[in-house]
Amino acid sequence: MADKPSVLFVCVHNAGRSQMAAAWLTHLAGHRVEVRSAGSDPGANVNPAAVQAMAEVGIDISAEVPKMLTVDAVKESDVCITMGCGDTCPVFPGKRYLDWTLDDPAGRSVEDVRPIRDEIERRVRGLLDDLDVPA
């Protein structure tokens, strides 16, 4: 792993879980970690309930746009964290892969997205500990 670790968060639409995870990691680690997110079938925009839930904790993801997962994004990342995208993420030797089983916020109210947001924060803090990067 490079001096500055690189993390890629992947979910199907890159509209909820992966966007929240990328935002948490950016918020907590700043420029000490390179952060990417992508989707195997990107949505048109970020889930409004995810945007609202993150705004409640002072993190603005309203300008984010879902991005297509590319082989290069995986190649350039030290850690690839999947969130319900199944086998669509390419696998390369020497990369660290984690699969976070999380509820999909698609179609849910902000009340239902808050626990997902909070669980993602908990996991991102654990990831930072694993990467030996202070929050």
Side-chain angles (χ1 to χ4, degrees):
M1 199 172 310
D3 291 337
K4 181 177 179 177
S6 177
V7 177
L8 170 65
F9 294 100
V10 182
C11 67
V12 176
H13 299 298
N14 189 224
R17 295 167 289 191
S18 57
Q19 291 285 353
M20 289 190 289
W24 272 119
L25 185 54
T26 299
H27 177 75
L28 294 169
H31 296 292
R32 295 182 303 273
V33 177
E34 187 176 337
V35 182
R36 296 180 179 87
S37 72
S40 55
D41 183 20
N45 46 43
V46 176
N47 180 327
V51 171
Q52 184 178 345
M54 293 301 287
E56 291 174 356
V57 294
I59 301 173
D60 183 6
I61 62 170
S62 63
E64 296 299 323
V65 177
K67 296 165 283 306
M68 176 60 94
L69 176 63
T70 65
V71 170
D72 287 342
V74 178
K75 281 183 181 178
E76 295 168 6
S77 300
D78 298 309
V79 181
C80 181
I81 299 173
T82 58
M83 304 172 178
C85 62
D87 296 329
T88 60
C89 188
V91 176
F92 294 98
K95 301 290 177 190
R96 179 177 173 199
Y97 293 88
L98 301 171
D99 185 46
W100 289 358
T101 303
L102 296 160
D103 290 334
D104 188 347
R108 295 178 186 241
S109 68
V110 70
E111 291 79 16
D112 292 334
V113 173
R114 286 181 188 123
I116 300 167
R117 173 202 65 202
D118 296 344
E119 177 61 15
I120 290 170
E121 177 190 10
R122 187 187 71 72
R123 291 182 189 210
V124 166
R125 286 182 181 277
L127 175 66
L128 284 169
D129 287 344
D130 289 347
L131 296 174
D132 202 24
V133 174

